């Protein structure tokens, strides 16, 4: 009889969404009558009824046991089929791959191993607790609860098949792109990849402004002073001669002839400090680009920096159109430019110095220091020099003036005498803005990195000579030989 048998229900296996559940064996005991039977010679009526009831219960229990055994076998077969299906689906997945830095999505790209089922004691690298029986991820040399493997940027679990890494931190591919993929400083979009799948962009050598290569040919304007490209969310100022000026450069721009006179006095004092005083009174005029180009065509001598001339030392008699009053601003455009003709007469070897209007004070000053050196050489009777020597030594003086301004950190008192000039704003405040200081470094960098033969190579040769022999001995050598000393 089976009514005293112990029944065991084995471990149940339930696979749901790839997760493994295990319940410990559960022992169930059906308590029947005592196993010590009572023997009597003649069973009573009650004893017969008890025996009949026990036999009936035993038979019923046997039938229930058989039914449960059949149901258990069916569940086990279904579980085995489901487990085989899941294993086969895992086996067809691609093996983990790693991508190197520089791909379109950036960073190292990894694929975690498929969900595994723990059969021992493992510690999660995220929460540092035991994983126990259940699924887990194996990646980055550690094991994780799936919900503990999180993006370093958004702190959300990474359920994607691929993820990116920077340092020892995992990221969603989208989060990595948002944080590390370079964006264009012009259009503010992610810089696209080229035909080889590599991120390709342009960058200014000084400002390090990054931009899509397409902006070099799509008409995106540059500032005529600092050379930075115009971002889409801001508008540069349009000057009447077609040049564009960024708002930072506009802040210290010199816009008419009267505004430039205090700066002219500063440059004259700078030359006096070098024992190179210019005795003659040479007119200084601020002009538009067209007037500067026309004056350059009427000049018989001189070397000009292509593609655009921004200053000119004249020796011929001619009539020049100069800017009389600061133009009015209407939105992002210069309006109502007022000019007047100025007749130049030849009283000495130099008739005037012309400077292009609308440039920042430091750039205007460096151009003026350059042209002043041309005037000094002619007034001191230096014979005709080669372009690399004459332009080179003029660039040395422009470079020296910018360096003195950078060291001083603020304009001299001469610049603050003009109450209407925005060019002297920083001087009146006793210091320059951070951008203006950076702008001074940029103009100095421009002179030092010029690649032209006359202005670039000439400057570097002249600067080496001045550093080695001093300015006075270098100028004397130029007077005697027409070359830089070596």
């Amino acid at each position: 009889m089976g009514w005293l048998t112990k029944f065991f229900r084995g471990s149940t296996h339930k696979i749901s969404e790839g997760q493994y559940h295990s319940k410990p064996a559960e022992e169930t005991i059906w308590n029947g009558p005592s196993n010590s039977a009572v023997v009597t010679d003649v069973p009573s009526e009650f004893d017969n009824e008890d025996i009949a009831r026990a036999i009936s219960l035993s038979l019923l229990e046997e039938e229930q046991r058989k039914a449960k055994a059949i149901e258990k076998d069916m569940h086990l077969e279904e579980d085995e089929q489901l487990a085989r299906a899941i294993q086969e689906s895992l086996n067809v997945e691609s093996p983990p791959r790693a991508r190197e830095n520089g791909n379109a999505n950036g960073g190292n790209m990894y694929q975690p191993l498929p969900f595994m089922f723990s059969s021992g004691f493992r510690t999660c690298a995220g929460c540092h607790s035991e994983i126990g029986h259940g699924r887990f991820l194996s990646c980055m040399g550690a094991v994780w609860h799936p919900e503990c493997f999180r993006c370093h940027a958004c702190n959300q679990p990474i359920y994607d098949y691929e993820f990116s890494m920077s340092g020892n931190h995992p990221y969603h591919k989208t989060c990595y792109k948002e944080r590390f993929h370079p964006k264009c400083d012009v259009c503010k979009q992610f810089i696209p990849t080229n035909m080889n799948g590599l991120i390709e962009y342009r960058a200014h050598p000084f400002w390090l402004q990054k931009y899509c290569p397409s902006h070099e040919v799509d008409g995106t304007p540059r500032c005529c002073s600092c050379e930075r490209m115009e971002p889409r969310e801001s508008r540069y100022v349009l000057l009447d001669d077609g040049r564009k000026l960024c708002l930072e450069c506009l802040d210290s721009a010199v816009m008419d002839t009267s505004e430039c006179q205090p700066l002219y006095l500063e440059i004259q004092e700078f030359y006096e400090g070098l024992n190179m005083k210019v005795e003659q009174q040479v007119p200084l005029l601020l002009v538009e680009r067209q007037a500067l180009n026309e004056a350059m065509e009427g000049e018989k001598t001189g070397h000009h920096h292509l593609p655009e001339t921004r200053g000119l030392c004249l020796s011929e008699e001619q009539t020049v159109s100069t800017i009389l009053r600061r133009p009015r601003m209407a939105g992002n455009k210069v309006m109502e430019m007022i000019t007047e003709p100025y007749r130049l007469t030849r009283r000495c070897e130099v008739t005037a110095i012309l400077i292009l209007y609308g440039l920042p004070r430091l750039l205007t000053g460096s151009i003026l220091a350059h042209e002043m050196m041309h005037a000094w050489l002619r007034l001191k009777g230096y014979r005709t020099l080669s372009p690399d020597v004459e332009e080179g030594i003029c660039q040395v003086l422009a470079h020296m003036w910018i360096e003195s301004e950078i060291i001083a950190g603020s304009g001299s008192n001469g610049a603050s005498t003009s109450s209407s000039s925005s060019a002297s704003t920083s001087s009146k405040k006793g210091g320059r803005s951070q951008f203006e200081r950076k702008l001074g470094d940029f103009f100095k960098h421009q002179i030092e990195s010029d690649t032209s033969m006359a202005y670039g190579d000439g400057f570097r040769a002249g600067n080496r000579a001045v550093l080695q022999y001093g300015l006075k001995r270098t100028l004397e050598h130029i007077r005697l030989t027409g070359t830089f000393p070596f």
Side-chain angles (χ1 to χ4, degrees):
M1 303 295 290
W3 44 283
L4 291 180
T5 305
K6 292 185 178 180
F7 293 95
F8 293 90
R9 186 172 58 194
S11 299
T12 58
H13 303 271
K14 188 181 295 182
I15 300 175
S16 174
E17 298 180 356
Q19 187 155 356
Y20 178 90
H21 298 276
S22 177
K23 295 184 179 180
E26 182 177 317
E27 183 181 50
T28 302
I29 302 176
W30 186 84
N31 292 318
S34 172
N35 59 357
S36 56
V38 179
V39 181
T40 59
D41 295 334
V42 181
S44 65
E45 180 180 356
F46 295 103
D47 292 336
N48 291 337
E49 290 177 358
D50 289 341
I51 292 173
R53 187 181 296 110
I55 292 173
S56 299
L57 290 175
S58 176
L59 293 174
L60 179 62
E61 187 65 19
E62 184 69 18
E63 292 295 325
Q64 291 178 348
R65 185 184 64 79
K66 292 181 179 179
K68 289 182 180 180
I70 294 173
E71 183 181 359
K72 174 184 174 183
D73 292 338
M74 292 177 62
H75 280 301
L76 288 175
E77 184 177 357
E78 291 175 357
D79 290 352
E80 290 174 357
Q81 291 176 356
L82 182 57
R84 281 196 298 270
I86 292 175
Q87 186 62 42
E88 290 173 358
S89 67
L90 293 177
N91 290 337
V92 299
E93 297 285 358
S94 300
R97 295 171 294 171
R99 301 180 186 172
E100 298 298 329
N101 282 323
N103 59 73
N105 293 318
N108 290 328
M109 196 70 61
Y110 292 96
Q111 294 178 337
L113 293 175
F115 288 129
M116 297 181 177
F117 297 91
S118 176
S119 60
F121 296 100
R122 299 175 184 268
T123 301
C124 174
C127 66
H128 305 293
S129 63
E130 182 183 317
I131 292 178
H133 293 282
R135 64 178 187 171
F136 64 95
L137 289 175
S138 177
C139 51
M140 296 173 57
V143 292
W144 314 69
H145 290 115
E147 65 275 10
C148 292
F149 188 63
R150 293 175 176 265
C151 173
H152 188 64
C154 67
N155 199 36
Q156 295 300 312
I158 300 177
Y159 293 123
D160 302 329
Y161 186 55
E162 291 183 335
F163 66 97
S164 300
M165 282 192 65
S166 177
N168 294 321
H169 301 299
Y171 293 85
H172 290 113
K173 291 180 6 181
T174 53
C175 292
Y176 184 95
K177 184 175 183 180
E178 186 67 32
R179 176 171 291 195
F180 297 106
H181 189 114
K183 284 187 177 181
C184 175
D185 292 329
V186 174
C187 65
K188 307 304 180 183
Q189 302 298 315
F190 290 117
I191 296 177
T193 57
N194 60 17
M195 58 186 304
N196 296 319
L198 301 175
I199 300 171
E200 179 182 359
Y201 60 86
R202 303 289 184 266
H204 192 281
F206 181 83
W207 301 105
L208 302 181
Q209 182 189 41
K210 300 187 296 293
Y211 54 89
C212 305
S214 60
H215 297 318
E216 291 187 334
V217 295
D218 63 4
T220 300
R222 290 181 182 271
C223 176
C224 64
S225 168
C226 65
E227 298 182 350
R228 294 180 300 169
M229 279 194 165
E230 179 184 66
R232 293 287 187 263
E233 75 276 5
S234 64
R235 307 301 298 175
Y236 285 1
V237 173
L238 177 63
L239 303 180
D240 71 321
D241 54 13
R243 291 176 294 147
K244 284 288 193 83
L245 194 66
C246 73
L247 299 182
E248 290 86 354
C249 289
L250 177 67
D251 186 56
S252 64
V254 183
M255 302 299 285
D256 62 41
T257 297
S258 62
E259 281 187 10
C260 198
Q261 297 309 311
L263 181 59
Y264 189 23
L265 293 176
E266 287 187 47
I267 304 299
Q268 289 175 331
E269 292 174 0
F270 173 74
Y271 270 77
E272 288 183 23
L274 298 174
N275 294 318
M276 296 171 60
K277 183 177 180 180
V278 177
E279 301 292 345
Q280 292 82 351
Q281 295 296 319
V282 179
L284 168 67
L285 305 175
L286 247 66
V287 297
E288 299 175 271
R289 182 162 58 179
Q290 182 178 352
L292 188 63
N293 292 336
E294 291 174 354
M296 185 172 60
E297 291 176 359
E299 187 72 6
K300 296 179 181 179
T301 60
H303 315 291
H304 312 298
H305 195 178
L306 299 177
E308 181 180 55
T309 298
R310 296 186 289 192
L312 195 61
C313 180
L314 297 180
S315 298
E316 304 296 329
E317 290 188 346
Q318 54 180 299
T319 300
V320 177
S321 178
T322 181
I323 299 175
L324 182 63
R325 191 176 67 189
R326 185 180 182 89
R328 183 175 64 87
M329 297 293 300
N332 289 80
K333 190 174 182 180
V334 169
M335 304 288 290
E336 299 180 6
M337 179 73 68
I338 300 176
T339 62
E340 67 173 1
Y342 190 100
R343 179 63 185 174
L344 301 178
T345 57
R346 186 180 175 89
R347 297 187 178 90
C348 60
E349 292 297 318
V350 179
T351 57
I353 292 176
L354 307 184
I355 304 294
L356 186 63
Y357 92 101
L359 300 176
R361 176 186 173 277
L362 288 175
L363 180 56
T364 302
S366 68
I367 297 171
L368 183 50
H370 177 102
E371 299 303 332
M372 181 82 84
M373 189 59 189
H374 280 300
W376 188 89
L377 291 172
R378 296 178 193 179
L379 293 172
K380 293 301 180 181
Y382 278 64
R383 63 188 180 87
T384 303
L385 302 174
S386 62
D388 60 319
V389 173
E390 184 168 350
E391 298 298 343
I393 194 63
C394 289
Q395 285 292 78
V396 169
L397 267 294
H399 187 268
M400 290 173 62
W401 182 80
I402 289 181
E403 275 193 326
S404 69
E405 288 292 295
I406 293 174
I407 293 173
S410 62
S412 65
N413 293 332
S416 62
T417 59
S418 175
S419 59
S420 62
S421 174
S422 66
S424 62
T425 301
S426 61
S427 299
K428 286 195 261 184
K429 293 180 180 179
R432 295 196 181 97
S433 66
Q434 182 177 357
F435 176 79
E436 194 173 3
R437 292 193 294 270
K438 187 75 172 176
L439 199 59
D441 292 332
F442 168 64
F443 297 142
K444 181 171 173 282
H445 167 80
Q446 272 191 314
I447 295 175
E448 295 168 349
S449 60
D450 195 311
T451 58
S452 65
M453 182 176 294
Y455 290 80
D457 294 343
F459 162 74
R460 285 181 282 275
N463 195 51
R464 283 194 299 268
V466 170
L467 291 175
Q468 183 172 355
Y469 302 105
L471 180 59
K472 183 177 180 180
R473 290 180 61 187
T474 299
L475 291 174
E476 186 62 27
H477 191 276
I478 292 174
R479 178 196 292 275
L480 295 174
T481 66
T483 62
F484 292 120
F486 294 100

